[in-house]
Amino acid sequence: MKVLVIGSGGREHALVWKIRQSKKVEKVFCAPGNGGISQIAKCVNVRADNIKGLVDFATRNKIGLTVVGPEQPLALGIVDEFQRRKLKIFGPEKKAAQLESSKVFAKEFMQQYHIPTAPFKIFDNQAEAIGFCKSVEFPVVVKVDGLAAGKGVMIVHNFQEAETAIEAVFDEQRFGTAGSRIVIESCLVGQEVSVMALTDGKSIIPLLPSQDHKQAFEGDSGPNTGGMGAFCPAGFITDELMEQVVEQIFQPTVAGLRNENIPYRGVIYAGIMLTKVGPKVLEYNCRFGDPETQVVLPLLKTDLLDVFKAVIDRRLSNFRALDWRPGAAACVIMASEGYPGHYESGRKIIGLQNVRNEGCYIFHSGTRRDGKQWLTDGGRVLGVMGSGDNLQAALKKSYSLVDRIKFPGAMYRRDIGFRVLGDKRK
Ligand code: AMP
Ligand code: GLY
C-alpha cells in the first residue's frame, strides 16, 4: 500500500517513521515534509492546506491511505473531500473537527454531555466580556474561539490583565476571525496530562498517557510554545485514573458525537488537568499531539497501519488493546534562539551524521537540506527522542545525544520530566 502523510513537523516525522515499520507499506509520501522526513519518505511539494492539490496527488498516485497530521486541513474539511472522492483517509470530518477548531463548540458540547471541564461563559463583544470580569475571582482564562496555533489562550491574574487581553481580541482584532467570540473560564490547578485515544465512532482505545512541557523556559516558566519536550508514559497516572479518564471523558465524548450525528473516526486528544476533584478537560485536539507523538509511537509495538485501517473501516473492536513496549520514552526539543518569538532560520546544524544510538531517534521539526549540509528551518528544529527501561534512562539517552548536536543559538530545556523526577533526574 502507498501511504501519504500530511504535514511538515516532528509529529509527521514520527508518523512516517512508525508507518514505514509496517510490512504492508510499499511507499510513504509526505506533503510537504521537511529535511529529516526526506531521508525516509518521498516529500511532495504540496502544502498541508492545499486540499485540492492533496486530493489530486492522492488520486494520481493511487494512495491507499492518507494520514492527516495538523489541524488546519481537518478544519478545512480535507476528510470530507477525500471521502467524496472515495479515498481512504485517517482523521475526523470537518463537523467533528470543530471539537478543536471552535472552543465555543467544544465547551457547549462538554456542558451538554456532562464532560468534566472548567465552568465558563461565552462572549461576542468587548463590553460584556469586560463587564463580566469586574465580578470574577482571578485568575481566569481567556480563550479565543478559533484556531490560533496555541497562542489564543491567556491566563489573566487581575482585572487590568483581563481588560488588556480582551481588548487585544476585540479592539485590535489580533486573532482575526478566530477572535470573533471568546470563552472566559475558571483557572484549574493540578498536573496536566495528554491522553490520546483512537476511535471509530464506537470503540475507543486509549494510547499511553504522556506529558508535554509547553513553556519556553525551565521550571515551566516563560511564554507558551508548541511544546519544548515530552515524555511517556506519564507515570503519575494510575490504571484507576486512566479508567476514570476513559469513562468520564472519552466515552461520553464519543457517544455525544454519535448522538449529534457527527460520527468521529480518528484520534481524539484530550488535554486534561488532574484536579483535586478529578480529571477535567482543558481542550480537545482532533489529531495527534506534537511532541507527544514523538514519545508515544516509539513505545507502540502494534502495526500502526493495521490500527488506522481498523478505524477507517469501523472495526476497531477487533483490537482488544494495543501492544506496548515496557519502559519509557522522552523527547527534548531543540529550538531556535528567540522562539516562540522572532528567530532566524538557515543556521548550520552539526552532529546529525552517523547517529546510531540504540533506542534513540532524531525527529526533525524544522530543518532543510542544502547539499550535504543541514540547516535550521523553523522555531522548533529537532526533537531528540531517547527510550529506555525507565524515564531516567530515557532522558539520559536524549540528553547525551542533544549534547552532540550543535547549531548557533540552539535553545533547549534541561529539565524535561522534572515534575515527575524532581532532583532524581540528574
Ligand atoms: P489550550 O490551548 O486550551 O490547551 O490551552 C493551552 C494551555 O493553557 C493548557 O495546556 C494549559 O496549560 C493552559 N490552560 C488552558 N485552560 C486552562 C484552565 N482552565 N486552567 C488552567 N490552565 C489552563
Ligand atoms: N502538544 C500539544 C498539542 O499538540 O497541541
Side-chain angles (χ1 to χ4, degrees):
M1 181 191 278
K2 289 187 201 164
V3 179
L4 169 65
V5 174
I6 295 173
S8 61
R11 163 185 51 210
E12 288 76 22
H13 196 176
L15 283 164
V16 167
W17 172 80
K18 179 68 190 164
I19 288 168
R20 260 176 48 107
Q21 292 167 14
S22 169
K23 292 201 180 62
K24 287 142 203 149
V25 171
E26 178 191 330
K27 189 162 183 183
V28 184
F29 297 89
C30 190
N34 64 33
I37 296 173
S38 72
Q39 290 193 299
I40 57 169
K42 173 101 181 81
C43 289
V44 186
N45 194 12
V46 184
R47 282 170 51 126
D49 58 2
N50 178 358
I51 309 296
K52 183 175 179 312
L54 293 166
V55 172
D56 288 347
F57 176 83
T59 310
R60 256 198 332 272
N61 290 277
K62 302 197 166 45
I63 299 294
L65 173 68
T66 298
V67 180
V68 188
E71 59 275 22
Q72 293 86 354
L74 295 169
L76 289 170
I78 190 170
V79 173
D80 312 58
E81 199 51 40
F82 268 58
Q83 284 171 357
R84 244 193 300 284
R85 303 277 288 263
K86 303 270 179 287
L87 292 162
K88 292 210 170 189
I89 184 160
F90 178 86
E93 293 163 22
K94 182 175 181 173
K95 256 177 147 182
Q98 287 177 95
L99 272 191
E100 175 167 4
S101 63
S102 166
K103 292 209 191 285
V104 169
F105 177 88
K107 293 298 288 193
E108 287 179 338
F109 175 84
M110 286 188 271
Q111 188 172 45
Q112 183 174 351
Y113 292 99
H114 308 291
I115 297 159
T117 189
F120 67 99
K121 281 215 172 317
I122 294 164
F123 298 94
D124 64 4
N125 73 79
Q126 178 163 316
E128 280 177 30
I130 291 178
F132 173 72
C133 287
K134 287 188 176 138
S135 61
V136 295
E137 210 175 296
F138 288 100
V140 294
V141 188
V142 178
K143 297 182 172 184
V144 302
D145 177 42
L147 294 177
K151 298 184 182 85
V153 173
M154 294 151 280
I155 298 181
V156 293
H157 299 89
N158 51 51
F159 180 74
Q160 189 63 49
E161 281 181 21
E163 198 173 29
T164 307
I166 293 165
E167 281 171 3
V169 177
F170 289 112
D171 233 9
E172 297 164 31
Q173 307 231 319
R174 201 177 293 168
F175 300 90
T177 52
S180 54
R181 287 187 292 176
I182 58 170
V183 171
I184 300 183
E185 67 180 34
S186 310
C187 194
L188 301 174
V189 189
Q191 278 260 30
E192 264 189 76
V193 62
S194 308
V195 185
M196 298 186 266
L198 297 158
T199 180
D200 59 0
K202 250 196 331 227
S203 299
I204 298 162
I205 302 188
L207 306 182
L208 288 181
S210 55
Q211 189 173 49
D212 76 342
H213 291 274
K214 290 201 171 73
Q215 288 91 348
F217 308 132
E218 286 169 16
D220 284 345
S221 62
N224 261 359
T225 70
M228 293 303 287
F231 58 90
C232 177
F236 47 88
I237 292 239
T238 56
D239 289 351
E240 200 187 346
L241 199 49
M242 253 323 253
E243 260 171 47
Q244 220 180 329
V245 165
V246 171
E247 272 170 28
Q248 294 178 6
I249 294 171
F250 285 103
Q251 283 173 359
T253 299
V254 170
L257 287 164
R258 233 184 16 245
N259 192 52
E260 297 288 320
N261 228 347
I262 317 180
Y264 192 110
R265 281 179 296 171
V267 62
I268 301 185
Y269 164 131
I272 292 169
M273 188 73 91
L274 301 173
T275 72
K276 278 196 193 129
V277 293
K280 289 184 195 263
V281 178
L282 294 170
E283 63 157 346
Y284 289 111
N285 293 323
C286 290
R287 48 166 178 87
F288 283 99
D290 189 342
E292 288 91 335
T293 304
Q294 292 91 306
V295 289
V296 173
L297 293 186
L299 297 176
L300 181 68
K301 278 209 258 179
T302 312
D303 185 321
L304 193 58
L305 207 65
D306 285 343
V307 187
F308 284 166
K309 283 199 300 197
V311 166
I312 293 173
D313 297 338
R314 297 197 174 86
R315 45 178 183 77
L316 193 60
S317 55
N318 290 0
F319 285 87
R320 283 264 128 80
L322 301 174
D323 230 356
W324 297 97
R325 277 177 238 289
C331 176
V332 178
I333 299 288
M334 299 183 76
S336 300
E337 186 175 14
Y339 175 75
H342 174 77
Y343 58 84
E344 277 173 32
S345 287
R347 299 196 156 164
K348 271 189 195 169
I349 312 171
I350 54 169
L352 290 177
Q353 295 80 5
N354 305 320
V355 172
R356 291 277 183 274
N357 295 25
E358 187 74 18
C360 290
Y361 199 86
I362 303 172
F363 295 117
H364 292 225
S365 298
T367 66
R368 66 187 164 84
R369 293 289 292 262
D370 180 14
K372 285 208 168 113
Q373 182 61 57
W374 287 100
L375 300 175
T376 65
D377 194 29
R380 288 191 291 175
V381 178
L382 300 165
V384 182
M385 189 281 294
S387 59
D389 290 342
N390 52 43
L391 180 55
Q392 270 158 298
L395 283 162
K396 204 165 160 206
K397 276 197 194 163
S398 309
Y399 279 114
S400 72
L401 195 48
V402 165
D403 287 339
R404 288 166 45 193
I405 302 169
K406 313 258 179 253
F407 56 87
M411 244 185 33
Y412 59 91
R413 281 179 56 170
R414 276 253 147 227
D415 66 343
I416 300 306
F418 82 95
R419 283 187 190 279
V420 176
L421 292 178
D423 285 342
K424 276 193 287 173
R425 207 180 58 75
K426 301 208 169 79

CSV table of all heavy atoms in Angstrom, one decimal, residues 103 118 141 143 150 153 155 185-189 192 214-215 224 273 282-283, ligand 1:
chain,number,residue,atom,x,y,z
A,103,LYS,N,-13.6,26.5,20.2
A,103,LYS,CA,-13.6,26.3,21.6
A,103,LYS,C,-15.0,26.5,22.2
A,103,LYS,O,-15.4,25.8,23.2
A,103,LYS,CB,-12.6,27.2,22.4
A,103,LYS,CG,-11.2,26.8,22.0
A,103,LYS,CD,-10.2,27.2,23.2
A,103,LYS,CE,-8.7,27.0,22.7
A,103,LYS,NZ,-8.3,25.7,22.6
A,118,ALA,N,-13.8,23.1,33.0
A,118,ALA,CA,-13.9,24.3,33.9
A,118,ALA,C,-15.2,25.1,33.6
A,118,ALA,O,-15.6,25.1,32.4
A,118,ALA,CB,-12.7,25.2,33.6
A,141,VAL,N,-9.2,32.3,32.7
A,141,VAL,CA,-8.5,32.1,31.4
A,141,VAL,C,-9.4,32.6,30.3
A,141,VAL,O,-10.6,32.3,30.3
A,141,VAL,CB,-8.3,30.5,31.3
A,141,VAL,CG1,-7.4,30.2,30.0
A,141,VAL,CG2,-7.6,29.9,32.5
A,143,LYS,N,-9.9,32.6,26.3
A,143,LYS,CA,-9.6,31.8,25.1
A,143,LYS,C,-10.3,32.3,23.9
A,143,LYS,O,-11.6,32.4,23.9
A,143,LYS,CB,-10.0,30.3,25.3
A,143,LYS,CG,-9.3,29.7,26.5
A,143,LYS,CD,-9.7,28.2,26.6
A,143,LYS,CE,-8.8,27.5,27.7
A,143,LYS,NZ,-9.1,26.1,27.8
A,150,GLY,N,-2.0,27.7,19.3
A,150,GLY,CA,-1.6,27.7,20.7
A,150,GLY,C,-1.5,29.0,21.4
A,150,GLY,O,-1.2,29.1,22.6
A,153,VAL,N,-4.7,31.4,24.1
A,153,VAL,CA,-5.1,31.2,25.5
A,153,VAL,C,-4.3,32.1,26.4
A,153,VAL,O,-3.1,32.1,26.4
A,153,VAL,CB,-4.9,29.7,25.9
A,153,VAL,CG1,-5.1,29.4,27.3
A,153,VAL,CG2,-5.7,28.7,25.0
A,155,ILE,N,-3.9,33.4,30.4
A,155,ILE,CA,-4.2,33.3,31.8
A,155,ILE,C,-4.0,34.7,32.4
A,155,ILE,O,-2.9,35.2,32.3
A,155,ILE,CB,-3.4,32.2,32.5
A,155,ILE,CG1,-3.6,30.9,31.9
A,155,ILE,CG2,-3.7,32.2,34.0
A,155,ILE,CD1,-2.9,29.7,32.5
A,185,GLU,N,-13.0,31.3,31.2
A,185,GLU,CA,-13.3,30.1,32.1
A,185,GLU,C,-12.4,30.2,33.4
A,185,GLU,O,-11.4,30.9,33.4
A,185,GLU,CB,-13.1,28.8,31.4
A,185,GLU,CG,-11.7,28.5,30.9
A,185,GLU,CD,-11.6,27.1,30.2
A,185,GLU,OE1,-12.5,26.7,29.5
A,185,GLU,OE2,-10.5,26.5,30.4
A,186,SER,N,-12.8,29.4,34.4
A,186,SER,CA,-12.1,29.3,35.6
A,186,SER,C,-10.7,28.7,35.4
A,186,SER,O,-10.6,27.9,34.5
A,186,SER,CB,-12.8,28.5,36.7
A,186,SER,OG,-14.1,28.9,36.8
A,187,CYS,N,-9.8,29.1,36.2
A,187,CYS,CA,-8.4,28.6,36.1
A,187,CYS,C,-8.3,27.3,36.9
A,187,CYS,O,-8.6,27.3,38.1
A,187,CYS,CB,-7.4,29.6,36.5
A,187,CYS,SG,-5.8,29.2,36.1
A,188,LEU,N,-7.9,26.2,36.3
A,188,LEU,CA,-7.8,24.9,37.0
A,188,LEU,C,-6.4,24.7,37.5
A,188,LEU,O,-5.5,25.2,36.9
A,188,LEU,CB,-8.2,23.8,36.1
A,188,LEU,CG,-9.6,23.8,35.6
A,188,LEU,CD1,-9.9,22.7,34.5
A,188,LEU,CD2,-10.7,23.7,36.7
A,189,VAL,N,-6.3,24.0,38.6
A,189,VAL,CA,-4.9,23.8,39.2
A,189,VAL,C,-4.7,22.3,39.3
A,189,VAL,O,-5.6,21.5,39.6
A,189,VAL,CB,-4.8,24.4,40.6
A,189,VAL,CG1,-3.4,24.3,41.1
A,189,VAL,CG2,-5.4,25.8,40.6
A,192,GLU,N,-0.9,18.5,34.5
A,192,GLU,CA,-1.5,18.4,33.2
A,192,GLU,C,-1.1,17.0,32.5
A,192,GLU,O,0.1,16.6,32.7
A,192,GLU,CB,-1.1,19.5,32.3
A,192,GLU,CG,-2.0,20.6,32.2
A,192,GLU,CD,-1.7,21.6,31.2
A,192,GLU,OE1,-1.9,21.4,30.0
A,192,GLU,OE2,-1.2,22.7,31.6
A,214,LYS,N,4.9,22.8,27.8
A,214,LYS,CA,4.6,23.9,26.8
A,214,LYS,C,5.4,25.1,27.0
A,214,LYS,O,5.7,25.8,26.0
A,214,LYS,CB,3.1,24.2,27.0
A,214,LYS,CG,2.2,23.1,26.5
A,214,LYS,CD,0.8,23.7,26.2
A,214,LYS,CE,-0.1,22.7,25.6
A,214,LYS,NZ,-0.6,21.6,26.5
A,215,GLN,N,5.9,25.5,28.2
A,215,GLN,CA,6.5,26.7,28.4
A,215,GLN,C,8.0,26.7,27.8
A,215,GLN,O,8.6,25.7,27.9
A,215,GLN,CB,6.5,27.2,29.8
A,215,GLN,CG,5.2,27.6,30.3
A,215,GLN,CD,4.4,26.4,30.9
A,215,GLN,OE1,4.7,25.3,30.8
A,215,GLN,NE2,3.3,26.7,31.6
A,224,ASN,N,4.2,30.4,26.4
A,224,ASN,CA,3.8,29.1,25.8
A,224,ASN,C,4.4,28.9,24.5
A,224,ASN,O,4.5,29.9,23.7
A,224,ASN,CB,2.3,29.0,25.8
A,224,ASN,CG,1.7,28.2,26.9
A,224,ASN,OD1,2.4,27.8,27.8
A,224,ASN,ND2,0.4,28.1,26.9
A,273,MET,N,-6.5,18.4,32.9
A,273,MET,CA,-5.9,18.8,34.2
A,273,MET,C,-6.4,17.8,35.3
A,273,MET,O,-7.6,17.6,35.4
A,273,MET,CB,-6.4,20.2,34.5
A,273,MET,CG,-5.7,20.9,35.7
A,273,MET,SD,-4.0,21.3,35.3
A,273,MET,CE,-4.2,23.0,34.8
A,282,LEU,N,-9.2,20.4,29.5
A,282,LEU,CA,-8.7,21.8,29.2
A,282,LEU,C,-9.0,22.1,27.7
A,282,LEU,O,-9.4,23.2,27.3
A,282,LEU,CB,-7.2,21.9,29.4
A,282,LEU,CG,-6.7,21.8,30.8
A,282,LEU,CD1,-5.2,21.7,30.8
A,282,LEU,CD2,-7.2,23.0,31.6
A,283,GLU,N,-8.8,21.1,26.9
A,283,GLU,CA,-9.1,21.3,25.4
A,283,GLU,C,-9.1,19.9,24.8
A,283,GLU,O,-8.6,18.9,25.3
A,283,GLU,CB,-7.9,22.1,24.8
A,283,GLU,CG,-6.6,21.4,24.9
A,283,GLU,CD,-5.5,21.8,23.9
A,283,GLU,OE1,-5.9,22.5,22.9
A,283,GLU,OE2,-4.4,21.4,24.1
B,1,AMP,P1,-5.3,25.0,25.4
B,1,AMP,O1,-4.8,25.5,24.0
B,1,AMP,O2,-6.8,25.3,25.6
B,1,AMP,O3,-4.8,23.7,25.7
B,1,AMP,O4,-4.5,25.9,26.5
B,1,AMP,C1,-3.2,25.9,26.5
B,1,AMP,C2,-2.6,25.8,27.9
B,1,AMP,O5,-3.2,26.8,28.7
B,1,AMP,C3,-3.0,24.4,28.5
B,1,AMP,O6,-2.2,23.4,28.2
B,1,AMP,C4,-3.0,24.8,30.0
B,1,AMP,O7,-1.6,24.8,30.4
B,1,AMP,C5,-3.4,26.2,30.0
B,1,AMP,N1,-4.9,26.3,30.3
B,1,AMP,C6,-5.9,26.2,29.4
B,1,AMP,N2,-7.1,26.3,30.0
B,1,AMP,C7,-6.8,26.3,31.4
B,1,AMP,C8,-7.6,26.4,32.5
B,1,AMP,N3,-9.0,26.4,32.5
B,1,AMP,N4,-7.0,26.4,33.7
B,1,AMP,C9,-5.6,26.4,33.8
B,1,AMP,N5,-4.8,26.4,32.7
B,1,AMP,C10,-5.4,26.3,31.5
